[in-house]
């Protein structure tokens, strides 16, 4: 499955999942979204949200990304107790994803539970690279 993110100049009126990909409600410009797409195109790791491609169609910027089930924010907000072993695994996978980014000279700059997505197998996927920057 995949998610098509369409950037039309602002995040207003988009579903919550799309708002997170557009900068959590921050109105990203098409140039910012294109920079994010360029950065994501070089990232391949099990703990990084899979990026399939991007294009401009009739002036609208479109990104195609892996579709994921929920965010760590939603898991934390759930009233059910999360098993300790799962907590440790999610933390470890998040650290693996961040370490991969740093080895590839990328600073995410917006790591938070809402930007850590979880797939159906409880695998962590770091997303939302709108604030990310390459380190010199």
């Amino acid at each position: 499955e995949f998610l098509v993110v369409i950037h039309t100049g602002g995040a207003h009126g988009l579903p919550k999942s799309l708002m997170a990909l557009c900068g959590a409600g921050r109105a990203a410009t098409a140039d910012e979204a294109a920079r994010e797409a360029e950065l994501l195109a070089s990232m391949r790791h099990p703990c990084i949200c899979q990026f399939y491609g991007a294009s401009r169609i009739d002036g609208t910027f479109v990104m195609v990304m892996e579709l994921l089930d929920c965010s760590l924010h939603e898991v934390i907000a759930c009233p059910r107790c999360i098993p300790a072993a799962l907590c440790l695994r999610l933390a470890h996978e998040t650290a693996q994803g961040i370490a991969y980014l740093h080895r590839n000279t990328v600073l995410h700059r917006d790591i938070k539970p809402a930007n850590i997505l979880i797939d159906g197998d409880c695998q962590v996927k770091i997303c939302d690279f709108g604030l990310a920057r390459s380190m010199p």
Side-chain angles (χ1 to χ4, degrees), residues 10-44:
H12 303 289
L14 293 176
K16 185 173 134 183
S17 59
L18 295 185
M19 286 179 62
L21 292 170
C22 293
R26 179 182 60 85
T29 66
D31 288 340
E32 289 172 329
R35 184 172 25 82
E36 179 178 357
E38 183 178 335
L39 187 107
L40 279 170
S42 65
M43 300 287 112
R44 293 284 183 268

Side-chain angles (χ1 to χ4, degrees), residues 94-108:
T94 301
Q96 285 180 313
I98 294 169
Y100 170 82
L101 293 173
H102 290 181
R103 281 192 307 275
N104 287 276
T105 68
V106 174
L107 284 177
H108 186 279

